[in-house]
Amino acid sequence: QVQFVESGGDLVQPGGSLRLSCVASGGNIAYYTMGWYRQAPGKQRESVAFMSSDNRMSYIDAVKSRFTISRDNAKNTVSLQMNSLKPEDTGVYYCNTNPLYWSWGQGTQVIVSS
């Protein structure tokens, strides 16, 4: 059973930046497509960005050119660099595989507000 621990969330003003990190334990994520997901208050969880095992990246339109996903297979980690943050980016951010094979971690809270 692979477990994920996300960190790096914070309260940030619109236009600011954050870098989220996800550490996986209990298994090697190198062979999986990894993704970041988010859940805004009162909304369903949605996909944000993915990175395949051969480092192909994809993003939802709402975050293209602002977010960058990366991974370090040697450290079993996945990161999300978020720039030019908007209030609509507020939510709890999670990492997991795509498709979903493992349980969700606790996530990390991002609040974008002035």
Side-chain angles (χ1 to χ4, degrees), residues 8-12 18 20 82 85 89-93 108-112:
D10 205 346
L11 169 64
V12 62
L18 284 174
L20 307 183
M82 307 189 296
L85 282 162
D89 295 318
T90 293
V92 180
Y93 284 69
T108 186
Q109 177 79 58
V110 173
I111 300 174
V112 185

Side-chain angles (χ1 to χ4, degrees), residues 22-79:
C22 169
V23 179
S25 61
N28 188 342
I29 63 170
Y31 308 107
Y32 296 96
T33 290
M34 293 301 302
W36 281 95
Y37 304 79
R38 68 186 179 188
Q39 186 166 19
K43 295 186 177 181
Q44 289 189 335
R45 189 155 23 207
E46 64 173 348
S47 305
V48 175
F50 296 110
M51 191 167 195
S52 68
S53 57
D54 60 352
N55 295 331
R56 287 175 290 118
M57 295 171 281
S58 61
Y59 303 90
I60 60 171
D61 287 344
V63 307
K64 279 181 181 176
S65 77
R66 300 189 298 120
F67 290 12
T68 303
I69 188 172
S70 60
R71 65 193 298 165
D72 186 337
N73 290 333
K75 295 182 179 179
N76 233 25
T77 60
V78 184
S79 298

